[in-house]
Amino acid sequence: SSEPITATLQGEFSGFSQGRTYTLDNGQVWEQTDATRVSGVRKQSPKVSIRPGVMGVWYMKVEGSNTQPKVRRTK
């Protein structure tokens, strides 16, 4: 589907880093595919939105953060 997804991240969010995986409360698992880095962040079960871009790329935004790294669904 190419519809945007809104969900809650399971567990603690501690920033973005390439290769990191993010598990959502709807059972989906997404992996970060670019080198965007954000560290020093700690949020417990934040809300996230994942939206499609061009050429099949998806972007993930965590509530309270302006950074939107590229992600791909692995599960």
Side-chain angles (χ1 to χ4, degrees), residues 17-71:
S17 182
Q18 187 168 14
R20 189 170 282 176
T21 58
Y22 308 95
T23 302
L24 308 183
D25 63 348
N26 63 9
Q28 294 179 356
V29 178
W30 292 77
E31 178 184 6
Q32 183 176 330
T33 60
D34 69 6
T36 301
R37 293 187 61 84
V38 171
S39 56
V41 178
R42 293 177 74 108
K43 293 178 182 279
Q44 193 62 37
S45 302
K47 295 206 178 302
V48 299
S49 59
I50 300 174
R51 63 174 179 79
V54 295
M55 305 286 289
V57 174
W58 290 79
Y59 296 93
M60 179 172 152
K61 181 171 176 23
V62 173
E63 183 178 55
S65 172
N66 291 329
T67 306
Q68 297 184 49
K70 292 179 186 175
V71 293

